[in-house]
Amino acid sequence: MTTRVFLVRAVNVGGTARLPMAEFRTMLDELGVSNARTYIASGNAIVDVPDEWEPADFDDFDRAVEHELESRFGFQREVVSRSIDELVVALAEHPFRVDNPAWSYVTFLSEEPATDNRAIAAELATGNDEWTVFGHHLHLRYSEGMSSATLKIDTLMKRLDVVGTARNLRTVQAIINLTRR
């Protein structure tokens, strides 16, 4: 078995897209993975997948999870999955000074943004906030935290024209730690 992490975008935030974690774990197990466990109530699931699964299987499974979320819970949300090694790399490649790990984020993208879209996104006002893209990962640092940010992630994502879900560095590290127990 191989461990994989599934990240659901924007659940249990502000009373929308309510996803009970126990039901989420059951749903994942019913879809064909095993040992589903969750970390906090924000759509983070760690699962074991068969060793013979290929990258296309992961993409297919991500889409199946999206479909099941809509069928069972009545909302559409994107799902992005990564291996533990990919989470470790994303955390290690974070290029910005980390004053507070809750103010620095990795956004796990569904695909690498096009160069033209990066150029369009580079025109956004950022104040003291910073961002950059490495492959399928968007790195963000909010100088005063997300609630005081000049850089608006929704606008940035629209300009990059990709789907993704952000986790602060504290959460990414906690997920990695959970897989090493």
Side-chain angles (χ1 to χ4, degrees):
M1 291 294 208
T2 301
T3 302
R4 192 133 180 111
V5 176
F6 289 87
L7 307 162
V8 183
R9 186 188 66 77
V11 295
N12 299 331
V13 178
T16 62
R18 191 164 132 52
L19 178 61
M21 292 296 102
E23 292 177 41
F24 183 41
R25 289 188 299 271
T26 298
M27 182 192 89
L28 290 169
D29 284 337
E30 289 172 356
L31 286 172
V33 297
S34 60
N35 194 26
R37 51 237 187 252
T38 52
Y39 174 71
I40 64 177
S42 59
N44 308 303
I46 304 159
V47 304
D48 294 330
V49 298
D51 286 332
E52 62 271 9
W53 279 22
E54 299 291 332
D57 297 323
F58 298 131
D59 290 340
D60 291 344
F61 194 81
D62 292 356
R63 302 302 72 78
V65 172
E66 290 172 353
H67 179 266
E68 253 339 270
L69 287 171
E70 188 167 10
S71 295
R72 291 185 190 205
F73 301 103
F75 56 80
Q76 191 282 324
R77 289 294 186 268
E78 294 81 8
V79 175
V80 177
S81 67
R82 295 289 191 269
S83 69
I84 299 308
D85 289 344
E86 289 171 315
L87 262 68
V88 169
V89 166
L91 190 62
E93 74 186 2
H94 190 73
F96 305 118
R97 184 182 76 244
V98 179
D99 297 322
N100 181 338
W103 295 355
S104 292
Y105 290 76
V106 177
T107 302
F108 298 93
L109 305 174
S110 59
E111 61 186 298
E112 189 170 342
T115 302
D116 291 349
N117 292 344
R118 288 186 201 193
I120 293 167
E123 297 170 359
L124 284 172
T126 61
N128 291 324
D129 303 328
E130 301 172 282
W131 70 272
T132 193
V133 174
F134 294 129
H136 288 74
H137 300 135
L138 165 65
H139 294 270
L140 299 147
R141 179 188 167 275
Y142 295 108
S143 63
E144 302 297 323
M146 189 182 275
S147 62
S148 302
T150 300
L151 177 62
K152 302 301 180 203
I153 191 167
D154 291 340
T155 305
L156 177 59
M157 295 297 288
K158 284 179 186 170
R159 290 199 181 185
L160 291 173
D161 195 28
V162 293
V163 173
T165 184
R167 299 296 186 273
N168 69 40
L169 300 188
R170 182 176 292 147
T171 297
V172 175
Q173 184 64 64
I175 292 169
I176 292 167
N177 292 347
L178 284 172
T179 66
R180 293 184 171 160
R181 290 184 183 169

